[in-house]
Amino acid sequence: MVMLNHPDYIRHVLVDKSEQYDKNAAVFKIARPVLRDGLIATPDMELWRRQRRMMAPYFTPRTVSNFARNMTDETTSMLGRWEERSDPAAALDVTDEFGQLALRIVSKSLFNAEVGDAAQAFERAFQLANTVLGDFFSFPFPPLGFPTPSHVRLRRAIDRMDGFVSGFISERLAQGVEAGEEPDLLSLFLGAVDENDGKGMDLEQLHHEVLNICVGAYETTTNTLAWAFYLLARHPEVERKLHAEVDRVLGERTVPAFEDLPELTYTRMIVDEVLRIYSPAYQLMRRAREDDVIDGYRVPAGTQVLVNSYLLHRHPDFWEDPERFDPERFGAEEIAKRPRHAYVPFGSGPRVCLGKHFALTEICLAMAAIARRYRLVSPPGAPEVLPDALITLHPKGGVHLRLERR
Ligand code: HEM
């Protein structure tokens, strides 16, 4: 395995020579029992191109604005639930809260459905799969097909995630879309046809893509919000600036709108910095399809290539005092001074995260809405939360914070 830790090399593999590096790589092979032939892990470049062509139009910055109301409505409901907690002084596991929020938002956007209790079942199944597959990545033996107790639990977890997706799909198919109703993503995917062959996607592929979106959208967004409030609780000077911005932009309003985003510049800088320090999808992998040379180093066909953004985002040549949480790094001038590929929380090139704009919109809107009403503070003596290097970078043991009304 070759590990790349320089922006030029990363651009070479992900952008300049993207056709020469595919996803026949270890981390995706390991995730494939869950993700199958959906966009995230498929090694089949033809299938990927076709699917991406059909789905990309629904994830542009403009089209994502159609889902902003789901994001703010669901955040408002979460804040309502916080308001009614029986013991307001007790610490809250915000990882769990944000997990449910992320799933509710993605289910509303995909199927126009309220997930209710199904969200918790999906969360548990996902966490189990993330742990079993994360362990398998560190020590890939015995094969996943071998029925050890943890592999049997993995199989059941995958069945539960499949059940979550197929339940909503069949309900939605039975319902149909009513005239005048804002179409959800599922109906848009159902109607999508490829410009080359004029055909759409079959139900099995649709199932895989929907599951990929649920998986892609759930843990990454959850972790970003959880780490964000963990870091804010430890950096009151940053929190004060966030509150000042949110109060100024929102004025009398308690809930932000999509149109506020261009003004919420400091909020966005915080999100960018959180994604630097705790990049949730921290392992990008590819396999070289042909012999290549990167800056004089020979990379034979078949080589596994790894980019670890946890390390890249701490590279001392590009980040001063890299362990320090400092959103000012993401001011426009500071960004311009750095090579673009020193920072890849969403990947880069043709396989850049499909949900990047969806995620940034969701995270900024949720953060602003929460910060307008609450401070989330560390309980006295709370230990440091360490990252757990699973398939994603998970806050070990969750993030527990106390709510204080502002
Ligand atoms: C903070 C949140 C998120 C982060 C950090 C993140 C990160 C990433 C990264 C790094 C990749 C590229 C992997 C690679 O090149 O090997 C990726 C791909 C992908 N992500 Fe995200 N993601 C996030 C949110 C989302 C959301 C909200 C969705 C769906 C709505 C989503 C759907 C996908 C899909 C479908 C792909 C595969 C794209 C392709 O290969 O064409 N992600 N994500």
Side-chain angles (χ1 to χ4, degrees):
M1 188 181 291
V2 169
M3 186 164 142
L4 306 179
N5 201 33
H6 190 285
D8 292 348
Y9 306 163
I10 291 165
R11 198 196 55 235
H12 175 97
V13 167
L14 297 183
V15 185
D16 302 344
K17 296 272 178 89
S18 62
E19 288 290 314
Q20 254 170 261
Y21 289 88
D22 67 17
K23 285 206 172 179
N24 245 318
V27 75
F28 297 111
K29 282 190 186 157
I30 287 171
R32 208 160 292 138
V34 178
L35 299 170
R36 281 150 292 179
D37 256 336
L39 278 186
I40 298 180
T42 183
D44 179 340
M45 287 182 137
E46 264 318 300
L47 175 68
W48 168 78
R49 247 189 296 277
R50 186 171 186 280
Q51 290 300 118
R52 179 98 187 191
R53 260 198 313 265
M54 280 196 282
M55 293 162 68
Y58 308 117
F59 290 92
T60 64
R62 201 176 54 79
T63 43
V64 158
S65 66
N66 296 334
F67 302 111
R69 265 306 287 274
N70 295 342
M71 297 167 183
T72 49
D73 285 354
E74 291 298 337
T75 310
T76 307
S77 308
M78 178 184 75
L79 295 176
R81 292 192 294 277
W82 288 6
E83 206 74 28
E84 285 158 19
R85 294 175 72 221
S86 51
D87 182 5
L92 184 68
D93 181 350
V94 297
T95 327
D96 189 35
E97 294 292 316
F98 296 148
Q100 294 202 35
L101 174 68
L103 269 181
R104 283 170 197 264
I105 290 172
V106 78
S107 312
K108 195 85 212 229
S109 309
L110 272 166
F111 321 110
N112 200 14
E114 311 289 339
V115 280
D117 293 343
Q120 261 162 338
F122 183 91
E123 275 188 287
R124 275 195 295 273
F126 178 87
Q127 272 153 21
L128 197 140
N130 200 7
T131 307
V132 175
L133 295 176
D135 288 348
F136 188 77
F137 189 63
S138 316
F139 189 78
F141 190 83
L144 286 175
F146 191 82
T148 62
S150 71
H151 294 175
V152 171
R153 283 201 297 278
L154 172 68
R155 187 66 259 161
R156 277 199 223 115
I158 295 172
D159 288 346
R160 274 201 296 278
M161 286 190 270
D162 277 341
F164 177 88
V165 167
S166 51
F168 283 117
I169 293 185
S170 26
E171 217 171 280
R172 193 71 187 109
L173 290 179
Q175 249 170 28
V177 186
E178 285 179 22
E181 195 183 351
E182 194 61 51
D184 52 30
L185 280 168
L186 188 74
S187 23
L188 294 170
F189 293 162
L190 275 168
V193 285
D194 183 39
E195 62 196 27
N196 287 5
D197 61 18
K199 295 195 185 120
M201 51 181 121
D202 63 31
L203 276 183
E204 191 184 358
Q205 188 67 28
L206 181 74
H207 178 110
H208 294 167
E209 298 301 2
V210 168
L211 182 70
N212 274 242
I213 287 177
C214 291
V215 167
Y218 160 62
E219 161 99 353
T220 48
T221 322
T222 306
N223 290 351
T224 311
L225 279 169
W227 287 120
F229 281 97
Y230 171 74
L231 288 166
L232 285 169
R234 292 179 163 236
H235 295 84
E237 69 295 351
V238 176
E239 189 190 42
R240 267 194 299 277
K241 276 187 83 171
L242 168 68
H243 289 163
E245 176 173 273
V246 168
D247 294 352
R248 177 177 54 76
V249 174
L250 269 64
E252 294 296 304
R253 290 173 296 140
T254 52
V255 184
F258 183 78
E259 292 67 34
D260 294 318
L261 289 175
E263 299 260 333
L264 292 167
T265 48
Y266 191 66
T267 310
R268 173 62 194 269
M269 284 158 71
I270 296 175
V271 174
D272 288 343
E273 175 68 342
V274 172
L275 287 168
R276 179 186 73 84
I277 298 197
Y278 296 120
S279 190
Y282 67 104
Q283 307 181 92
L284 305 179
M285 281 195 84
R286 296 292 187 269
R287 183 203 56 153
R289 301 170 74 195
E290 302 161 18
D291 290 348
D292 193 12
V293 176
I294 305 181
D295 196 18
Y297 293 92
R298 208 169 62 81
V299 178
T303 304
Q304 300 273 315
V305 178
L306 171 69
V307 175
N308 181 322
S309 56
Y310 187 91
L311 294 180
L312 177 72
H313 293 172
R314 284 167 171 72
H315 196 311
D317 289 355
F318 307 104
W319 306 97
E320 206 185 307
D321 194 3
E323 292 294 339
R324 186 164 44 90
F325 174 58
D326 179 11
E328 305 296 332
R329 299 177 201 274
F330 287 91
E333 271 178 37
E334 292 300 310
I335 294 178
K337 285 186 206 153
R338 274 188 306 266
R340 210 174 121 220
H341 288 84
Y343 180 67
V344 289
F346 293 101
S348 186
R351 292 198 83 149
V352 68
C353 175
L354 180 77
K356 176 180 170 181
H357 303 296
F358 190 101
L360 289 170
T361 305
E362 171 178 350
I363 295 165
C364 289
L365 288 175
M367 247 176 80
I370 297 167
R372 183 79 176 92
R373 281 206 233 170
Y374 285 101
R375 288 189 66 220
L376 273 57
V377 293
S378 277
E384 189 185 347
V385 178
L386 297 173
D388 203 0
L390 307 177
I391 295 294
T392 54
L393 199 70
H394 185 80
K396 199 171 196 163
V399 173
H400 299 261
L401 298 171
R402 261 203 355 249
L403 303 178
E404 270 182 26
R405 260 320 274 259
R406 290 188 56 213

